Amino acid sequence: MKIMALNGFKDIVPSEVELWRKVENTGRDIFSRFNFSEIRMPILEKTELFARSIGEATDIVEKEMYTFVDKQITMRPEATASLLRAYIQHGLYVQKPVQRLFTIGPMFRHERPQKGRLRQFHQMDIEVLGTPNPRVDAELMAMGAMLLEELGIPVSLEMNSLGCPVCRPGFREILLTFIADRKNELCDDCNRRSTTNPLRVLDCKNPKCREQVEEAPSIQKHLCNDCDDHFASVQKGLDSLNVQYSLNKFMVRGLDYYTRTTFEFITSDLGAQAAVGAGGRYDGLVEKLGGPKVPGIGFALGMERLVLLLQQQEVKIDSAKVDLFVAGLGEKASEFAFSLAHTLRQNSLNIAMDYEGRSLKSQMKQANKLNARFVLIIGENELEQGHAVLKNMQTQEQQDIEIHSDNKEIASSLLLRCQ
RNA sequence: GUGGGUGUAGCUCAGCUGGUGGUAGCACCUGGUUGUGACCCAGGAGGUCGUGGGUUCAAGUCCCAUCACUCACCCCA
Protein backbone atom coordinates (compact mmCIF):
# COMPACT_ATOMS: atom_id res chain seq x y z
CA MET A 1 0.00 0.00 0.00
CA LYS A 2 1.43 3.27 -1.12
CA ILE A 3 1.56 6.00 1.47
CA MET A 4 -0.29 9.01 0.23
CA ALA A 5 -0.78 12.52 1.53
CA LEU A 6 -3.75 12.96 3.82
CA ASN A 7 -7.10 13.74 2.33
CA GLY A 8 -7.33 17.47 1.84
CA PHE A 9 -3.56 17.93 2.08
CA LYS A 10 -1.69 18.61 -1.10
CA ASP A 11 1.87 18.70 -2.31
CA ILE A 12 2.83 21.69 -4.35
CA VAL A 13 5.11 20.17 -6.97
CA PRO A 14 7.86 22.12 -8.74
CA SER A 15 5.78 22.86 -11.82
CA GLU A 16 3.15 24.49 -9.60
CA VAL A 17 5.55 26.29 -7.29
CA GLU A 18 6.31 28.78 -10.03
CA LEU A 19 2.74 30.03 -9.95
CA TRP A 20 2.71 30.06 -6.16
CA ARG A 21 5.77 32.25 -6.22
CA LYS A 22 4.13 34.57 -8.67
CA VAL A 23 1.16 34.95 -6.35
CA GLU A 24 3.35 35.41 -3.32
CA ASN A 25 5.81 37.78 -4.96
CA THR A 26 3.04 39.93 -6.37
CA GLY A 27 1.50 40.05 -2.91
CA ARG A 28 4.72 41.05 -1.22
CA ASP A 29 5.36 43.69 -3.83
CA ILE A 30 1.94 45.26 -3.39
CA PHE A 31 2.02 45.04 0.40
CA SER A 32 5.31 46.86 0.53
CA ARG A 33 3.96 49.57 -1.75
CA PHE A 34 1.29 50.12 0.87
CA ASN A 35 3.89 50.14 3.62
CA PHE A 36 2.99 46.85 5.29
CA SER A 37 5.45 44.89 7.40
CA GLU A 38 5.61 41.13 7.48
CA ILE A 39 5.01 39.18 10.66
CA ARG A 40 5.26 35.41 11.09
CA MET A 41 3.53 33.46 13.81
CA PRO A 42 3.59 29.84 14.93
CA ILE A 43 1.03 27.47 13.51
CA LEU A 44 0.08 26.05 16.90
CA GLU A 45 -1.74 28.16 19.45
CA LYS A 46 -3.76 27.57 22.55
CA THR A 47 -7.21 26.37 21.64
CA GLU A 48 -8.73 29.09 23.75
CA LEU A 49 -7.37 31.79 21.47
CA PHE A 50 -9.52 30.63 18.58
CA ALA A 51 -12.51 29.85 20.71
CA ARG A 52 -12.49 33.39 22.01
CA SER A 53 -11.85 35.20 18.75
CA ILE A 54 -13.70 33.21 16.13
CA GLY A 55 -16.62 32.37 18.38
CA GLU A 56 -17.49 29.28 20.40
CA ALA A 57 -20.60 28.59 18.39
CA THR A 58 -19.10 28.81 14.91
CA ASP A 59 -18.64 25.72 12.78
CA ILE A 60 -14.92 26.34 12.65
CA VAL A 61 -14.53 26.12 16.38
CA GLU A 62 -17.18 23.50 16.96
CA LYS A 63 -16.06 20.91 14.49
CA GLU A 64 -13.38 21.98 12.08
CA MET A 65 -10.30 22.62 14.15
CA TYR A 66 -7.31 20.32 14.35
CA THR A 67 -6.91 20.21 18.09
CA PHE A 68 -4.62 18.18 20.30
CA VAL A 69 -7.28 17.67 22.91
CA ASP A 70 -4.98 16.47 25.69
CA LYS A 71 -2.77 19.53 25.35
CA GLN A 72 -5.51 22.02 24.47
CA ILE A 73 -3.58 23.35 21.51
CA THR A 74 -4.85 23.87 17.99
CA MET A 75 -3.44 24.28 14.52
CA ARG A 76 -4.60 27.70 13.44
CA PRO A 77 -7.73 27.75 11.29
CA GLU A 78 -7.11 31.36 10.31
CA ALA A 79 -4.48 33.99 10.83
CA THR A 80 -6.15 36.96 12.43
CA ALA A 81 -6.38 35.53 15.94
CA SER A 82 -2.72 34.52 15.97
CA LEU A 83 -1.65 37.81 14.55
CA LEU A 84 -3.54 39.76 17.18
CA ARG A 85 -2.16 37.55 19.90
CA ALA A 86 1.36 38.40 18.71
CA TYR A 87 0.45 42.07 18.38
CA ILE A 88 -0.74 42.15 21.97
CA GLN A 89 2.01 39.96 23.37
CA HIS A 90 4.80 42.11 21.95
CA GLY A 91 3.13 45.41 22.65
CA LEU A 92 3.31 46.43 19.03
CA TYR A 93 0.63 49.05 19.72
CA VAL A 94 3.14 50.94 21.82
CA GLN A 95 5.81 50.97 19.15
CA LYS A 96 3.49 52.42 16.53
CA PRO A 97 -0.04 53.68 17.05
CA VAL A 98 -1.11 52.18 13.75
CA GLN A 99 0.33 48.84 12.75
CA ARG A 100 0.09 47.62 9.19
CA LEU A 101 0.92 43.92 9.10
CA PHE A 102 0.72 41.01 6.74
CA THR A 103 1.50 37.32 7.01
CA ILE A 104 1.57 34.42 4.59
CA GLY A 105 1.20 30.80 5.50
CA PRO A 106 -0.82 27.62 5.95
CA MET A 107 -4.11 27.31 7.84
CA PHE A 108 -5.93 24.15 8.83
CA ARG A 109 -9.59 23.29 8.90
CA HIS A 110 -11.09 19.83 9.02
CA GLU A 111 -13.75 20.35 6.36
CA ARG A 112 -14.70 18.12 3.49
CA PRO A 113 -12.30 19.11 0.70
CA GLN A 114 -13.57 20.34 -2.63
CA LYS A 115 -12.47 22.57 -5.44
CA GLY A 116 -10.48 25.47 -4.03
CA ARG A 117 -10.98 24.25 -0.49
CA LEU A 118 -8.45 22.09 1.31
CA ARG A 119 -7.77 21.05 4.87
CA GLN A 120 -4.38 22.65 4.75
CA PHE A 121 -4.74 25.81 2.76
CA HIS A 122 -2.73 28.97 2.43
CA GLN A 123 -3.65 32.55 2.94
CA MET A 124 -2.12 35.93 2.59
CA ASP A 125 -3.51 37.84 5.50
CA ILE A 126 -3.43 41.61 5.86
CA GLU A 127 -4.38 43.58 8.96
CA VAL A 128 -4.38 47.23 10.01
CA LEU A 129 -4.58 47.75 13.75
CA GLY A 130 -5.14 50.97 15.56
CA THR A 131 -7.32 53.14 13.35
CA PRO A 132 -11.08 53.42 12.85
CA ASN A 133 -10.60 55.66 9.85
CA PRO A 134 -12.92 54.62 6.99
CA ARG A 135 -10.27 55.65 4.50
CA VAL A 136 -8.26 52.66 5.65
CA ASP A 137 -11.20 50.40 4.86
CA ALA A 138 -11.29 51.83 1.36
CA GLU A 139 -7.54 51.65 1.01
CA LEU A 140 -7.46 47.97 1.95
CA MET A 141 -10.10 47.11 -0.60
CA ALA A 142 -8.24 49.16 -3.19
CA MET A 143 -5.07 47.28 -2.36
CA GLY A 144 -6.79 43.93 -2.80
CA ALA A 145 -8.23 45.07 -6.10
CA MET A 146 -4.80 46.23 -7.24
CA LEU A 147 -3.22 42.93 -6.31
CA LEU A 148 -5.82 40.90 -8.16
CA GLU A 149 -5.59 43.15 -11.15
CA GLU A 150 -1.83 42.79 -11.34
CA LEU A 151 -2.24 39.03 -11.16
CA GLY A 152 -4.68 39.30 -14.04
CA ILE A 153 -7.55 37.82 -12.08
CA PRO A 154 -10.90 39.44 -12.81
CA VAL A 155 -13.11 39.75 -9.73
CA SER A 156 -15.94 41.83 -8.49
CA LEU A 157 -15.82 43.55 -5.15
CA GLU A 158 -18.86 43.41 -2.95
CA MET A 159 -19.31 45.30 0.27
CA ASN A 160 -21.70 45.58 3.15
CA SER A 161 -21.82 46.91 6.66
CA LEU A 162 -22.65 44.64 9.55
CA GLY A 163 -23.20 47.46 12.00
CA CYS A 164 -21.82 47.40 15.49
CA PRO A 165 -22.88 46.29 18.97
CA VAL A 166 -25.08 49.38 19.11
CA CYS A 167 -27.18 48.74 16.03
CA ARG A 168 -26.76 45.10 15.12
CA PRO A 169 -28.86 43.62 17.93
CA GLY A 170 -31.79 45.76 16.86
CA PHE A 171 -31.49 44.65 13.28
CA ARG A 172 -31.20 41.08 14.43
CA GLU A 173 -34.56 41.31 16.10
CA ILE A 174 -36.15 42.79 13.01
CA LEU A 175 -34.65 40.06 10.90
CA LEU A 176 -35.78 37.36 13.30
CA THR A 177 -39.33 38.60 13.03
CA PHE A 178 -39.06 38.53 9.26
CA ILE A 179 -37.75 34.96 9.37
CA ALA A 180 -40.41 33.82 11.79
CA ASP A 181 -43.10 35.15 9.46
CA ARG A 182 -41.80 33.00 6.62
CA LYS A 183 -40.79 29.97 8.56
CA ASN A 184 -42.61 27.61 6.24
CA GLU A 185 -41.18 29.14 3.12
CA LEU A 186 -37.55 28.79 4.18
CA CYS A 187 -35.41 25.66 3.93
CA ASP A 188 -34.45 23.49 6.90
CA ASP A 189 -30.96 24.93 6.97
CA CYS A 190 -32.33 28.44 7.22
CA ASN A 191 -34.63 27.55 10.05
CA ARG A 192 -31.68 26.08 11.87
CA ARG A 193 -29.67 29.23 11.09
CA SER A 194 -32.32 31.42 12.57
CA THR A 195 -31.17 30.24 15.96
CA THR A 196 -27.44 29.85 15.31
CA ASN A 197 -26.65 32.77 13.01
CA PRO A 198 -29.71 34.56 11.63
CA LEU A 199 -27.69 36.82 9.35
CA ARG A 200 -26.67 33.68 7.47
CA VAL A 201 -30.21 33.26 6.24
CA LEU A 202 -29.53 36.27 4.06
CA ASP A 203 -26.98 34.50 1.91
CA CYS A 204 -28.55 31.06 1.64
CA LYS A 205 -27.98 29.52 -1.79
CA ASN A 206 -31.36 27.85 -1.98
CA PRO A 207 -33.30 29.61 -4.78
CA LYS A 208 -36.52 29.53 -2.79
CA CYS A 209 -34.90 31.17 0.20
CA ARG A 210 -33.28 33.71 -2.06
CA GLU A 211 -36.64 34.65 -3.38
CA GLN A 212 -38.06 35.06 0.10
CA VAL A 213 -35.06 36.95 1.34
CA GLU A 214 -35.29 39.39 -1.55
CA GLU A 215 -37.69 41.45 0.56
CA ALA A 216 -35.82 40.99 3.80
CA PRO A 217 -34.96 44.13 5.71
CA SER A 218 -31.60 45.60 4.77
CA ILE A 219 -29.08 46.11 7.51
CA GLN A 220 -27.85 49.09 5.57
CA LYS A 221 -31.10 50.84 6.48
CA HIS A 222 -30.82 49.99 10.17
CA LEU A 223 -27.35 51.26 10.95
CA CYS A 224 -26.79 53.65 13.81
CA ASN A 225 -25.59 57.13 12.92
CA ASP A 226 -21.94 56.36 13.49
CA CYS A 227 -22.04 53.18 11.42
CA ASP A 228 -23.99 54.92 8.72
CA ASP A 229 -21.44 57.74 8.52
CA HIS A 230 -18.64 55.23 8.44
CA PHE A 231 -20.29 53.25 5.67
CA ALA A 232 -20.81 56.39 3.60
CA SER A 233 -17.21 57.48 4.09
CA VAL A 234 -15.89 54.10 2.98
CA GLN A 235 -17.88 54.39 -0.22
CA LYS A 236 -16.65 57.90 -0.75
CA GLY A 237 -13.10 56.66 -0.28
CA LEU A 238 -13.58 53.88 -2.83
CA ASP A 239 -15.06 56.33 -5.29
CA SER A 240 -12.13 58.68 -4.90
CA LEU A 241 -9.75 55.81 -5.72
CA ASN A 242 -11.87 54.73 -8.67
CA VAL A 243 -12.39 51.28 -7.25
CA GLN A 244 -15.37 49.45 -8.71
CA TYR A 245 -17.63 47.81 -6.16
CA SER A 246 -21.21 46.96 -5.49
CA LEU A 247 -23.21 46.99 -2.29
CA ASN A 248 -24.57 43.64 -1.22
CA LYS A 249 -27.02 43.81 1.63
CA PHE A 250 -27.01 40.02 1.86
CA MET A 251 -23.32 39.59 2.48
CA VAL A 252 -22.52 38.44 6.00
CA ARG A 253 -19.61 36.87 7.80
CA GLY A 254 -19.13 33.48 9.37
CA LEU A 255 -16.86 34.64 12.10
CA ASP A 256 -18.27 36.41 15.13
CA TYR A 257 -15.81 39.22 15.43
CA TYR A 258 -16.69 41.31 12.40
CA THR A 259 -18.21 44.78 12.70
CA ARG A 260 -19.12 47.47 10.21
CA THR A 261 -17.33 47.14 6.88
CA THR A 262 -17.27 43.68 5.38
CA PHE A 263 -16.21 42.80 1.84
CA GLU A 264 -15.44 40.01 -0.57
CA PHE A 265 -13.60 39.67 -3.84
CA ILE A 266 -15.70 37.33 -5.92
CA THR A 267 -14.95 35.25 -8.98
CA SER A 268 -17.34 33.30 -11.14
CA ASP A 269 -14.66 30.87 -12.31
CA LEU A 270 -14.22 28.61 -9.29
CA GLY A 271 -17.51 26.81 -8.92
CA ALA A 272 -18.82 26.98 -5.41
CA GLN A 273 -15.78 28.78 -4.07
CA ALA A 274 -16.66 32.24 -5.22
CA ALA A 275 -14.63 34.24 -2.73
CA VAL A 276 -10.93 34.59 -3.43
CA GLY A 277 -10.54 37.13 -0.70
CA ALA A 278 -12.68 38.36 2.13
CA GLY A 279 -12.47 40.37 5.26
CA GLY A 280 -13.76 43.25 7.21
CA ARG A 281 -13.54 45.38 10.28
CA TYR A 282 -13.36 43.94 13.78
CA ASP A 283 -13.36 46.86 16.13
CA GLY A 284 -13.85 44.99 19.39
CA LEU A 285 -11.63 41.99 18.87
CA VAL A 286 -8.27 43.21 20.12
CA GLU A 287 -9.80 44.25 23.39
CA LYS A 288 -11.67 40.98 23.65
CA LEU A 289 -8.36 39.13 23.37
CA GLY A 290 -6.94 41.11 26.27
CA GLY A 291 -5.29 43.88 24.31
CA PRO A 292 -5.83 47.61 24.25
CA LYS A 293 -9.08 49.04 23.01
CA VAL A 294 -8.05 49.53 19.41
CA PRO A 295 -10.03 49.00 16.25
CA GLY A 296 -8.84 46.78 13.46
CA ILE A 297 -9.60 45.73 9.94
CA GLY A 298 -8.17 43.05 7.70
CA PHE A 299 -8.72 40.53 4.99
CA ALA A 300 -7.37 37.26 3.72
CA LEU A 301 -6.70 36.00 0.23
CA GLY A 302 -7.01 32.28 -0.49
CA MET A 303 -3.82 31.36 -2.30
CA GLU A 304 -5.05 28.00 -3.62
CA ARG A 305 -7.89 29.84 -5.25
CA LEU A 306 -5.63 32.42 -6.82
CA VAL A 307 -3.30 29.73 -8.13
CA LEU A 308 -6.24 27.74 -9.50
CA LEU A 309 -7.48 30.77 -11.35
CA LEU A 310 -4.06 31.40 -12.84
CA GLN A 311 -3.84 27.74 -13.84
CA GLN A 312 -7.22 27.96 -15.49
CA GLN A 313 -6.00 30.95 -17.44
CA GLU A 314 -3.00 28.84 -18.42
CA VAL A 315 -0.63 31.49 -17.17
CA LYS A 316 2.88 30.29 -17.89
CA ILE A 317 5.96 31.37 -16.04
CA ASP A 318 9.46 31.26 -17.44
CA SER A 319 11.30 28.70 -15.40
CA ALA A 320 14.67 29.69 -14.04
CA LYS A 321 17.11 29.74 -16.89
CA VAL A 322 20.27 27.72 -16.83
CA ASP A 323 23.15 29.96 -17.86
CA LEU A 324 25.52 27.21 -18.89
CA PHE A 325 25.41 23.46 -19.28
CA VAL A 326 28.82 21.89 -18.83
CA ALA A 327 29.11 18.80 -21.01
CA GLY A 328 32.07 16.57 -20.31
CA LEU A 329 32.88 13.65 -22.59
CA GLY A 330 34.67 10.76 -20.97
CA GLU A 331 35.83 10.32 -17.42
CA LYS A 332 38.68 12.84 -17.40
CA ALA A 333 36.65 15.57 -19.00
CA SER A 334 33.73 14.86 -16.67
CA GLU A 335 35.99 15.23 -13.68
CA PHE A 336 37.25 18.53 -15.01
CA ALA A 337 33.68 19.64 -15.77
CA PHE A 338 32.62 18.72 -12.27
CA SER A 339 35.11 21.01 -10.58
CA LEU A 340 34.75 23.78 -13.16
CA ALA A 341 31.00 23.79 -12.61
CA HIS A 342 31.57 24.41 -8.93
CA THR A 343 33.81 27.41 -9.58
CA LEU A 344 31.28 28.83 -12.03
CA ARG A 345 28.57 28.50 -9.41
CA GLN A 346 30.75 30.35 -6.95
CA ASN A 347 30.70 33.07 -9.58
CA SER A 348 26.91 33.20 -9.50
CA LEU A 349 26.23 31.35 -12.72
CA ASN A 350 23.35 28.91 -12.88
CA ILE A 351 25.07 25.71 -13.99
CA ALA A 352 23.68 22.31 -14.92
CA MET A 353 25.49 19.19 -15.98
CA ASP A 354 25.09 15.48 -16.58
CA TYR A 355 26.29 12.98 -14.02
CA GLU A 356 25.50 9.74 -15.83
CA GLY A 357 28.25 9.75 -18.43
CA ARG A 358 25.76 10.06 -21.24
CA SER A 359 26.55 10.79 -24.87
CA LEU A 360 27.07 14.32 -26.14
CA LYS A 361 23.79 14.08 -27.99
CA SER A 362 22.01 13.20 -24.80
CA GLN A 363 23.70 16.01 -22.94
CA MET A 364 22.73 18.48 -25.66
CA LYS A 365 19.17 17.30 -25.31
CA GLN A 366 19.25 17.83 -21.58
CA ALA A 367 20.72 21.29 -22.08
CA ASN A 368 17.98 22.11 -24.53
CA LYS A 369 15.28 20.92 -22.21
CA LEU A 370 16.69 22.98 -19.37
CA ASN A 371 16.62 26.03 -21.58
CA ALA A 372 20.37 26.46 -21.16
CA ARG A 373 21.71 29.56 -22.84
CA PHE A 374 25.17 28.10 -23.45
CA VAL A 375 26.78 24.69 -23.49
CA LEU A 376 30.46 24.20 -22.79
CA ILE A 377 31.63 21.05 -24.54
CA ILE A 378 34.77 19.53 -23.08
CA GLY A 379 36.16 16.56 -24.95
CA GLU A 380 39.10 14.38 -23.99
CA ASN A 381 41.37 15.62 -26.79
CA GLU A 382 40.52 19.28 -26.35
CA LEU A 383 41.07 18.99 -22.64
CA GLU A 384 44.63 17.81 -23.28
CA GLN A 385 45.19 20.59 -25.79
CA GLY A 386 43.76 23.13 -23.35
CA HIS A 387 40.62 24.28 -25.05
CA ALA A 388 36.91 23.63 -25.17
CA VAL A 389 33.92 24.61 -27.28
CA LEU A 390 31.36 27.13 -26.07
CA LYS A 391 28.09 26.90 -27.93
CA ASN A 392 25.38 29.54 -27.88
CA MET A 393 22.17 27.54 -27.95
CA GLN A 394 20.14 30.26 -29.52
CA THR A 395 22.38 31.43 -32.31
CA GLN A 396 24.12 28.05 -32.60
CA GLU A 397 27.42 29.88 -32.80
CA GLN A 398 30.43 28.03 -31.41
CA GLN A 399 33.71 29.41 -30.27
CA ASP A 400 36.92 28.01 -28.88
CA ILE A 401 37.68 28.71 -25.25
CA GLU A 402 41.11 28.48 -23.64
CA ILE A 403 41.12 26.21 -20.64
CA HIS A 404 44.86 26.12 -19.99
CA SER A 405 44.60 28.21 -16.90
CA ASP A 406 43.02 27.50 -13.52
CA ASN A 407 39.31 27.35 -12.93
CA LYS A 408 39.04 30.89 -11.68
CA GLU A 409 40.44 32.36 -14.87
CA ILE A 410 38.29 30.11 -17.01
CA ALA A 411 35.33 31.22 -14.97
CA SER A 412 36.00 34.90 -15.50
CA SER A 413 36.45 34.44 -19.22
CA LEU A 414 33.21 32.43 -19.36
CA LEU A 415 31.40 35.04 -17.29
CA LEU A 416 32.21 37.62 -19.94
CA ARG A 417 31.08 35.43 -22.81
CA CYS A 418 27.90 34.24 -21.17
CA GLN A 419 26.48 37.67 -20.53
C1' G B 1 -21.43 14.95 8.79
C1' U B 2 -24.87 14.32 3.87
C1' G B 3 -25.40 13.37 -1.45
C1' G B 4 -23.56 12.59 -6.74
C1' G B 5 -19.47 11.23 -10.06
C1' U B 6 -14.78 8.80 -11.08
C1' G B 7 -10.65 4.94 -10.17
C1' U B 8 -6.76 1.31 -16.64
C1' A B 9 1.33 3.28 -17.67
C1' G B 10 4.65 9.01 -14.35
C1' C B 11 0.42 12.35 -16.74
C1' U B 12 -4.15 12.68 -20.13
C1' C B 13 -7.20 8.93 -21.63
C1' A B 14 -9.37 4.53 -25.42
C1' G B 15 -11.15 -0.25 -24.24
C1' C B 16 -18.77 -1.66 -27.47
C1' U B 17 -23.84 -6.44 -25.63
C1' G B 18 -18.14 -10.14 -20.60
C1' G B 19 -13.83 -13.51 -24.88
C1' U B 20 -5.61 -12.62 -24.64
C1' G B 21 -4.27 -5.00 -21.41
C1' G B 22 -3.88 -0.10 -26.07
C1' U B 23 1.13 0.30 -32.86
C1' A B 24 -3.12 5.97 -28.35
C1' G B 25 -1.05 11.04 -27.03
C1' C B 26 2.52 13.63 -23.68
C1' A B 27 6.82 12.54 -20.76
C1' C B 28 11.22 9.11 -20.26
C1' C B 29 15.57 6.04 -22.36
C1' U B 30 18.53 4.28 -26.78
C1' G B 31 19.55 4.69 -31.77
C1' G B 32 19.14 7.20 -36.96
C1' U B 33 27.73 6.22 -38.56
C1' U B 34 33.30 9.28 -36.40
C1' G B 35 31.66 14.36 -30.84
C1' U B 36 26.22 18.73 -31.26
C1' G B 37 19.76 20.21 -28.91
C1' A B 38 14.75 21.71 -31.11
C1' C B 39 11.60 19.01 -36.04
C1' C B 40 11.29 14.09 -37.96
C1' C B 41 11.89 8.60 -38.00
C1' A B 42 12.82 3.70 -35.61
C1' G B 43 13.15 0.96 -31.30
C1' G B 44 12.76 0.36 -25.84
C1' A B 45 11.17 0.62 -20.92
C1' G B 46 7.07 1.28 -17.97
C1' G B 47 0.59 -2.12 -15.44
C1' U B 48 -0.93 -7.15 -9.40
C1' C B 49 -6.91 -2.53 -14.79
C1' G B 50 -7.70 1.15 -6.63
C1' U B 51 -8.45 -3.15 -3.05
C1' G B 52 -11.28 -7.55 -1.35
C1' G B 53 -15.16 -10.77 -2.24
C1' G B 54 -19.09 -12.79 -5.60
C1' U B 55 -21.53 -14.43 -10.47
C1' U B 56 -19.35 -17.03 -14.86
C1' C B 57 -16.07 -21.92 -18.73
C1' A B 58 -14.15 -16.78 -18.89
C1' A B 59 -14.42 -10.16 -15.44
C1' G B 60 -10.89 -3.98 -16.91
C1' U B 61 -16.16 -4.88 -18.35
C1' C B 62 -21.67 -7.49 -14.35
C1' C B 63 -22.99 -7.53 -8.68
C1' C B 64 -21.60 -6.42 -3.46
C1' A B 65 -18.34 -4.32 -0.07
C1' U B 66 -14.28 -1.22 0.96
C1' C B 67 -10.67 2.57 0.14
C1' A B 68 -9.07 6.73 -2.52
C1' C B 69 -9.93 10.88 -5.50
C1' U B 70 -13.42 14.49 -7.10
C1' C B 71 -17.75 17.81 -7.32
C1' A B 72 -21.69 19.74 -4.53
C1' C B 73 -24.44 20.58 0.34
C1' C B 74 -23.20 22.35 5.37
C1' C B 75 -19.45 25.90 6.34
C1' C B 76 -15.72 28.95 4.54
C1' A B 77 -10.47 32.15 1.96
Side-chain angles (χ1 to χ4, degrees), chain A residues 304-317:
Chain A
E304 275 77 6
R305 293 177 186 183
L306 298 177
V307 169
L308 267 175
L309 288 165
L310 292 179
Q311 279 171 344
Q312 279 174 201
Q313 291 177 26
E314 294 179 15
V315 171
K316 291 272 183 290
I317 314 260

Side-chain angles (χ1 to χ4, degrees), chain A residues 321-325 349 367 370-375 391-395 417-419:
Chain A
K321 266 212 170 147
V322 168
D323 295 315
L324 177 69
F325 189 100
L349 286 179
L370 292 169
N371 233 330
R373 293 161 57 229
F374 293 88
V375 176
K391 176 165 185 172
N392 181 320
M393 293 294 276
Q394 263 194 333
T395 65
R417 287 169 217 263
C418 291
Q419 287 313 309

Side-chain angles (χ1 to χ4, degrees), chain A residues 44-45 47 65-75:
Chain A
L44 277 174
E45 297 275 0
T47 304
M65 296 206 301
Y66 281 93
T67 294
F68 299 82
V69 181
D70 54 333
K71 300 191 169 67
Q72 280 303 295
I73 53 180
T74 293
M75 293 167 78

Side-chain angles (χ1 to χ4, degrees), chain A residues 41-327:
Chain A
M41 297 84 62
I43 284 164
L44 277 174
E45 297 275 0
K46 289 198 174 155
T47 304
E48 186 196 353
L49 173 66
F50 303 117
R52 259 162 72 183
S53 60
I54 298 169
E56 296 273 6
T58 57
D59 275 20
I60 292 179
V61 171
E62 273 187 355
K63 49 191 192 195
E64 292 174 0
M65 296 206 301
Y66 281 93
T67 294
F68 299 82
V69 181
D70 54 333
K71 300 191 169 67
Q72 280 303 295
I73 53 180
T74 293
M75 293 167 78
R76 63 181 184 198
E78 57 118 32
T80 304
S82 304
L83 189 144
L84 293 194
R85 197 264 311 136
Y87 167 82
I88 296 164
Q89 179 176 332
H90 300 286
L92 299 185
Y93 46 89
V94 179
Q95 298 172 26
K96 260 196 253 174
V98 178
Q99 283 281 359
R100 300 160 70 85
L101 301 167
F102 78 91
T103 193
I104 299 176
M107 314 292 157
F108 304 84
R109 287 182 203 170
H110 190 103
E111 306 173 275
R112 198 70 163 255
Q114 66 191 70
K115 184 173 186 164
R117 200 244 304 251
L118 295 174
R119 288 182 175 173
Q120 176 177 336
F121 59 104
H122 299 77
Q123 290 186 335
M124 297 194 284
D125 192 73
I126 302 96
E127 315 282 351
V128 178
L129 288 327
T131 172
N133 194 311
R135 277 199 184 135
V136 173
D137 303 34
E139 183 190 55
L140 268 187
M141 282 182 255
M143 182 175 80
M146 190 186 290
L147 169 46
L148 291 161
E149 193 185 330
E150 294 208 3
L151 281 173
I153 294 174
V155 292
S156 57
L157 170 61
E158 298 192 356
M159 179 179 66
N160 195 13
S161 175
L162 294 181
C164 67
V166 174
C167 50
R168 191 161 15 165
F171 173 72
R172 198 185 139 102
E173 289 310 313
I174 294 169
L175 182 64
L176 278 173
T177 312
F178 174 85
I179 293 170
D181 287 349
R182 312 191 175 219
K183 208 172 167 150
N184 298 330
E185 265 60 59
L186 297 170
C187 70
D188 292 348
D189 280 328
C190 279
N191 278 302
R192 179 176 52 76
R193 287 184 185 109
S194 65
T195 51
T196 54
N197 189 348
L199 294 186
R200 276 266 159 222
V201 174
L202 294 175
D203 73 348
C204 181
K205 283 178 191 162
N206 186 317
K208 269 183 77 181
C209 298
R210 283 210 118 113
E211 216 173 283
Q212 292 297 319
V213 151
E214 218 26 70
E215 298 147 34
S218 166
I219 188 162
Q220 291 170 19
K221 299 208 169 94
H222 293 84
L223 297 173
C224 60
N225 286 340
D226 286 349
C227 285
D228 200 41
D229 287 350
H230 186 93
F231 194 44
S233 299
V234 174
Q235 292 174 60
K236 196 176 151 201
L238 286 171
D239 291 338
S240 75
L241 301 179
N242 287 317
V243 175
Q244 300 293 311
Y245 65 95
S246 56
L247 297 181
N248 179 354
K249 64 176 183 174
F250 299 133
M251 193 178 64
V252 298
R253 283 276 83 108
L255 282 49
D256 282 359
Y257 53 64
Y258 286 107
T259 57
R260 291 192 172 169
T261 309
T262 180
F263 57 95
E264 285 181 11
F265 294 100
I266 302 205
T267 175
S268 50
D269 301 326
L270 274 185
Q273 263 55 48
V276 299
R281 187 162 273 287
Y282 44 84
D283 285 344
L285 183 58
V286 178
E287 188 183 14
K288 191 173 169 189
L289 290 176
K293 192 173 174 175
V294 296
I297 178 168
F299 73 106
L301 292 155
M303 296 178 75
E304 275 77 6
R305 293 177 186 183
L306 298 177
V307 169
L308 267 175
L309 288 165
L310 292 179
Q311 279 171 344
Q312 279 174 201
Q313 291 177 26
E314 294 179 15
V315 171
K316 291 272 183 290
I317 314 260
D318 295 336
S319 48
K321 266 212 170 147
V322 168
D323 295 315
L324 177 69
F325 189 100
V326 186

Side-chain angles (χ1 to χ4, degrees), chain A residues 11-26:
Chain A
D11 301 306
I12 302 166
V13 296
S15 59
E16 297 169 325
V17 165
E18 311 265 336
L19 274 185
W20 278 82
R21 287 172 67 134
K22 181 189 167 89
V23 167
E24 197 172 322
N25 290 341
T26 307

